[in-house]
Amino acid sequence: MFRNHKKLWIIVLIVIVIGVGAAMSQKDKEKDVKPITDGQGQTADSNAAQKPEKSETKTSITEQVLFDVDGIKVTAKEYDYDSIWGEGVKLLVENNSEKDVTIGCEALIVNNYMISDLFSCSVAAGKKANDTLHFSSSDLKAAGIAPVGQIEVYFYFSNPSTYQIEKRLDPVTIKTSEFANMDTTPNDAGKELLNRDGVRIVGKYVDEKSFWGASVLLYIENNTGKKITVSCDDMSINGFMVTGYFLSTLYDKKMAIDNITLLSTELEKNGITSVDEVELKFRIRDKDSYDVLFETDPIKFSTK
């Protein structure tokens, strides 16, 4: 949901706890989700089939310098598997400049899917650090990514004292040992909610036992030629107005699996025990200019 949040460690820890809990209860969760339909029990608007589970493959990379800019050098050392943090790339960060720096990740794209990252590395002037760019395990699973074949990273430099971004770098691409086996088939099984001006959104299912309360899982595709953000407004559940917490950023020709989050307190306040009928509007903005590209009319869908 909050794909571009500040890398505060308390938030990172919360994300990890959520991710671990989600992984441990995945089989139970699959029993609780409700597929999105057209109100007549049909989900056939999208002709794609659910991506099958793939067997786990051990992935590796060749050691490579990702960038050497303004005295800051980052080298990708090896592919990493961690039982808690998940998959990622081990990095050597060398600060040969005369000032302290924090290196962050503005966007992480794996197999053409926007993926949340867990990375922020602060290095004092003249020092080095070993760190790992971790990928959200839940994002990889939701997108059906296995194995990881291509990793695109948009790094930036920021001031560790003010947190202000001082430079955005050109994207770097890492091709793994599984590049030839990479599957970029859209994971778009579900009910198509929007297909307009290069933006496509498919409703996949409603999870009524998510961490915060309930969530609506969406597949989103961007072919606008621009970086965009997608949000929602005027959302109602079973006729009651609610706040849908949702902001998804997509670069051009990329995909995302993302959630509209519904808080349990708001559902309880309105006596909503089952998410049956949903109505909302989507708003599409240019990420760089923040101009509204378009806003939809009310879109209705059901889980019945």
Side-chain angles (χ1 to χ4, degrees):
M1 180 172 72
F2 303 109
R3 194 172 298 279
N4 296 318
H5 63 272
K6 294 288 186 181
K7 305 298 188 300
L8 299 176
W9 288 112
I10 186 64
I11 296 179
V12 170
L13 290 173
I14 291 173
V15 170
I16 294 167
V17 170
I18 295 171
V20 172
M24 293 175 64
S25 61
Q26 185 64 33
K27 290 184 179 180
D28 291 336
K29 176 178 285 190
E30 290 172 356
K31 299 176 183 178
D32 297 327
V33 301
K34 299 165 66 174
I36 291 171
T37 74
D38 58 4
Q40 300 176 345
Q42 300 297 316
T43 59
D45 288 55
S46 174
N47 294 320
Q50 186 73 28
K51 294 179 77 171
E53 289 279 339
K54 297 185 179 71
S55 59
E56 184 175 339
T57 304
K58 208 69 175 175
T59 303
S60 63
I61 62 170
T62 301
E63 181 174 321
Q64 55 198 277
V65 175
L66 300 183
F67 64 82
D68 191 346
V69 177
D70 298 343
I72 313 298
K73 181 179 178 181
V74 171
T75 303
K77 302 293 289 184
E78 62 180 295
Y79 200 83
D80 185 47
Y81 287 87
D82 188 278
S83 59
I84 296 177
W85 296 85
E87 297 180 45
V89 176
K90 289 186 176 180
L91 304 176
L92 171 63
V93 182
E94 301 174 78
N95 184 0
N96 298 310
S97 73
E98 297 181 352
K99 62 180 182 179
D100 301 344
V101 67
T102 295
I103 301 171
C105 174
E106 188 165 39
L108 172 67
I109 303 166
V110 178
N111 293 15
N112 290 333
Y113 278 89
M114 307 296 298
I115 299 295
S116 299
D117 70 278
L118 300 174
F119 179 74
S120 181
C121 183
S122 296
V123 187
K127 304 300 180 181
K128 304 177 183 180
N130 287 300
D131 211 329
T132 303
L133 171 64
H134 289 284
F135 318 145
S136 166
S137 298
S138 57
D139 283 5
L140 294 180
K141 185 173 184 64
I145 296 175
V148 170
Q150 178 172 283
I151 306 157
E152 301 169 66
V153 192
Y154 288 72
F155 287 106
Y156 65 81
F157 298 160
S158 67
N159 185 311
S161 298
T162 65
Y163 305 105
Q164 293 296 313
I165 293 178
E166 297 181 340
K167 175 172 284 192
R168 290 178 168 86
L169 306 186
D170 293 333
V172 296
T173 300
I174 304 169
K175 293 182 179 179
T176 78
S177 58
E178 296 300 319
F179 178 75
N181 300 320
M182 178 176 65
D183 181 7
T184 58
T185 305
N187 190 6
D188 62 350
K191 159 76 174 169
E192 186 171 87
L193 305 178
L194 174 67
N195 194 341
R196 172 182 169 185
D197 299 342
V199 179
R200 183 166 176 255
I201 300 177
V202 173
K204 295 181 71 63
Y205 61 74
V206 171
D207 178 4
E208 294 184 330
K209 293 186 178 180
S210 69
F211 183 85
W212 299 107
S215 64
V216 180
L217 190 72
L218 304 174
Y219 164 86
I220 314 169
E221 187 176 320
N222 175 23
N223 291 294
T224 63
K226 304 175 181 181
K227 298 176 185 177
I228 64 170
T229 62
V230 183
S231 59
C232 68
D233 292 296
D234 297 341
M235 188 171 188
S236 65
I237 305 294
N238 303 351
F240 289 92
M241 298 300 297
V242 298
T243 301
Y245 293 91
F246 173 63
L247 180 64
S248 189
T249 299
L250 286 88
Y251 285 30
D252 185 40
K253 292 181 171 49
K254 304 304 178 184
M255 303 170 284
I257 302 289
D258 218 335
N259 287 289
I260 302 174
T261 296
L262 306 168
L263 298 182
S264 58
T265 52
E266 196 164 6
L267 296 175
E268 291 167 3
K269 179 181 70 175
N270 290 296
I272 299 171
T273 58
S274 176
V275 178
D276 299 324
E277 305 293 339
V278 182
E279 183 175 314
L280 52 69
K281 296 177 182 177
F282 288 112
R283 179 178 289 127
I284 316 299
R285 292 184 182 270
D286 184 309
K287 179 183 181 296
D288 295 324
S289 69
Y290 208 59
D291 291 338
V292 176
L293 300 179
F294 66 88
E295 181 176 294
T296 69
D297 292 332
I299 296 172
K300 296 180 180 181
F301 56 93
S302 174
T303 61
K304 290 184 176 180

